[in-house]
Amino acid sequence: TTTARTPLATGLPPTFLWGVATASYQIEGAVAEDGRTPSIWDTFSRVPGAVANADNGDVACDHYHRMPQDVALMKSLGVDSYRFSVAWPRVQPGGRGPVNPAGIGFYDRLVDELLGNGIAPWVTLYHWDLPQELEDAGGWPNRDTAYRFADYAELVLSALGDRVDTFTTLNEPWCSAWLGYNTGVHAPGRRDFDASLAATHHLLLGHGLATQRMRAAETRPHTYGITLNMGTADPAADTEADRDAARRADGMGLRLYLDPLHRGEYPADVVADLAARGSAMPVQDGDLEIISTPFDVLGINFYFGQNFAGTDEQGNRHGSDGEPVVRAVFPDTPRTAMDWPITPERFTQLLVRLHRDYPGLPLVITENGAAFDDQPDETGYVADDDRTEYLASHIAAVVAAREQGADVRGYFAWSLLDNFEWAYGYDKRFGIVHVDYRSQVRTPKQSALWFRDSIAALRS
Ligand code: GBH
């Protein structure tokens, strides 16, 4: 039973896809087993100061050894689908060459376990664990990595495509490119603006090449897609400076990805801004045709919306580097444990805008959720009213967007389990199931029971 006071979600059809999501490095552990080679996150998490408390994914949720029990947990929640990522350095050690039978064997067993429990596998090919050997060869700023990714995608399709219907290529390429190569807060921790632009282009190229290669290799039809992180970018005030800052944030964060994918061109205003600072996307002939290869579903990861100001606190429009100021100003709302604002109405705004500006793309929410300062009782149970309310209000935001025409077909909660939250380590808990990292005991939180009951109610 649940103690949630929040009303159950209504207004969604029985066919709506309900799921939970995870990612390989965040839950699997077993980083040196069965031939897996290091990824950029194994390396980065060893850099002093890179990850809170010097945490790493060596053990994480030990999912690699507890997979059947974790599938049973999903089954108990009644979800239709499980979104997980495949660890490239398990399946193709070093990022080149033939498939590693022991590595792909894990995902083979996972897929069978899911199907045996009536849960549809939803595969993400790349959730940030690039084989370190490929980073040593230049990483995503090196064009060759896009071709290596396409080879890897075909290996996975050949091994799992007989049973898996949905393959998404990349999770949040903005994070890989911008946080990994420009701000350096994610692996591989580089700080080079032009390298991050090259990474963006080669991630998108890799997506297009992989989609083409999988389609060519398949022996039955599949659903292909990509997942992007999306916020909203509104002007902090209705001034020319703030409107321009919001345009720039939206351009670099959203349109730089969606325009080439959907329209086959980089946005002209962003290209002009880049040229003004002497930078450009490293486009070769034919690249945009590859990048805009048709795909079937757009995955959306939404956490919060932001406002932007075009001036610093002193009112200057340019920073010390001479670049225009684009300063995030969080909306004045309650915050999560990440200090992120809680903005469900911006979620509706985003989905309606995608429907208007990028028509014809079926949408699935591939991640939505929140970290809060959970207080487990002596049995490990967490009465997380805050997370329950976050999920309920954001699912209601999806219902509102659908009523305005947005073609949203599913929703995956982030995350099934508390897990390794990247640079925040194990401090931040996004799970709807609590994990005691000493005992590895899993205990569904109130939000998980609410999610289970909501799904059941919508089906009945
Ligand atoms: C997702 O990243 C990841 O896919 C997932 O692995 C992770 O655990 C989860 O979210 C929770 O963090 O303030 O400039 O960074 C989400 C990363 C965080 C990217 C919010 C966009 C807002 C812009 N997103 N961020 S900025």
Side-chain angles (χ1 to χ4, degrees):
T1 59
T2 106
T3 56
R5 288 164 306 228
T6 318
L8 299 180
T10 55
L12 291 166
T15 53
F16 195 80
L17 188 73
W18 293 101
V20 287
T22 65
S24 47
Y25 191 70
Q26 294 183 272
I27 66 164
E28 286 178 355
V31 291
E33 284 181 46
D34 294 333
R36 180 187 181 279
T37 57
S39 79
I40 55 176
W41 272 95
D42 296 276
T43 307
F44 185 69
S45 59
R46 261 76 189 174
V47 174
V51 174
N53 309 314
D55 287 340
N56 60 57
D58 284 5
V59 177
C61 306
D62 196 33
H63 170 72
Y64 196 75
H65 300 118
R66 293 164 196 266
M67 179 271 284
Q69 297 93 302
D70 287 339
V71 173
L73 186 58
M74 296 169 212
K75 167 100 170 158
S76 76
L77 299 179
V79 295
D80 303 308
S81 186
Y82 173 48
R83 173 178 180 259
F84 62 93
S85 77
V86 173
W88 187 350
R90 279 193 201 287
V91 164
Q92 194 186 34
R96 300 171 198 275
V99 73
N100 168 27
I104 197 72
F106 172 73
Y107 300 104
D108 208 58
R109 294 192 300 279
L110 170 58
V111 164
D112 285 344
E113 192 75 23
L114 290 166
L115 293 173
N117 284 282
I119 300 168
W122 177 296
V123 167
T124 302
L125 290 168
Y126 184 74
H127 200 127
W128 307 354
D129 38 6
L130 184 72
Q132 180 62 43
E133 286 85 341
L134 294 185
E135 176 57 28
D136 295 343
W140 287 110
N142 176 7
R143 186 177 171 94
D144 182 62
T145 302
Y147 296 90
R148 302 285 67 76
F149 179 67
D151 286 352
Y152 156 69
E154 185 177 341
L155 288 187
V156 178
L157 183 281
S158 302
L160 306 179
D162 57 335
R163 287 155 292 150
V164 172
D165 291 332
T166 304
F167 290 91
T168 55
T169 53
L170 308 172
N171 177 71
E172 304 191 346
W174 177 88
C175 290
S176 298
W178 192 258
L179 304 180
Y181 292 95
N182 181 60
T183 65
V185 300
H186 279 187
R190 288 171 57 182
R191 291 166 202 256
D192 176 341
F193 181 82
D194 287 308
S196 84
L197 293 184
T200 295
H201 185 66
H202 298 141
L203 282 153
L204 292 169
L205 183 66
H207 154 82
L209 291 166
T211 304
Q212 294 184 349
R213 288 278 292 280
M214 289 190 287
R215 277 227 171 86
E218 71 186 6
T219 54
R220 65 187 191 99
H222 295 84
T223 299
Y224 296 105
I226 183 169
T227 281
L228 303 180
N229 55 290
M230 295 193 194
T232 55
D234 286 303
D238 191 19
T239 63
E240 193 276 319
D242 290 3
R243 283 194 300 272
D244 193 59
R247 175 192 66 76
R248 287 171 184 272
D250 184 62
M252 289 297 286
L254 190 145
R255 291 183 289 112
L256 188 63
Y257 296 84
L258 255 183
D259 283 22
L261 288 167
H262 192 257
R263 301 178 180 163
E265 60 192 19
Y266 283 116
D269 62 317
V270 177
V271 170
D273 293 342
L274 294 175
R277 60 180 295 175
S279 295
M281 306 301 284
V283 180
Q284 297 187 10
D285 277 355
D287 285 1
L288 285 158
E289 285 71 29
I290 296 168
I291 292 170
S292 59
T293 299
F295 59 96
D296 309 302
V297 63
L298 176 63
I300 295 159
N301 293 355
F302 180 85
Y303 290 90
F304 61 94
Q306 302 183 72
N307 300 327
F308 288 90
T311 52
D312 65 17
E313 274 90 353
Q314 288 73 45
N316 302 310
R317 288 205 60 176
H318 294 270
S320 51
D321 57 359
E323 292 304 315
V325 171
V326 178
R327 179 168 58 98
V329 183
F330 281 1
D332 186 19
T333 67
R335 306 274 183 99
T336 70
M338 299 292 281
D339 217 25
W340 294 348
I342 300 174
T343 61
E345 66 295 331
R346 307 271 177 118
F347 195 15
T348 304
Q349 172 193 326
L350 168 72
L351 295 169
V352 172
R353 178 261 181 119
L354 292 173
H355 172 63
R356 182 192 69 212
D357 290 354
Y358 302 93
L361 274 181
L363 309 175
V364 167
I365 311 309
T366 39
E367 290 180 24
N368 175 241
F372 286 102
D373 185 17
D374 291 342
Q375 303 294 333
D377 69 14
E378 58 289 345
T379 72
Y381 180 71
V382 179
D384 55 344
D385 283 321
D386 38 21
R387 186 176 291 99
T388 306
E389 181 59 33
Y390 181 96
L391 296 176
S393 61
H394 286 75
I395 292 168
V398 171
V399 175
R402 280 172 52 97
E403 284 164 356
Q404 295 172 63
D407 184 13
V408 187
R409 301 185 181 181
Y411 176 98
F412 289 80
W414 183 269
S415 180
L416 172 68
L417 302 172
D418 292 334
N419 61 48
F420 176 74
E421 178 50 31
W422 307 114
Y424 296 87
Y426 296 97
D427 266 2
K428 302 297 182 209
R429 293 176 176 269
F430 277 86
I432 59 173
V433 174
H434 176 260
V435 176
D436 178 328
Y437 292 113
R438 280 178 300 269
S439 64
Q440 291 293 351
V441 168
R442 283 86 158 113
T443 309
K445 303 177 191 178
Q446 173 191 275
S447 53
L449 304 181
W450 175 87
F451 195 58
R452 175 197 70 191
D453 292 351
S454 299
I455 296 169
L458 286 164
R459 290 218 187 89
S460 62

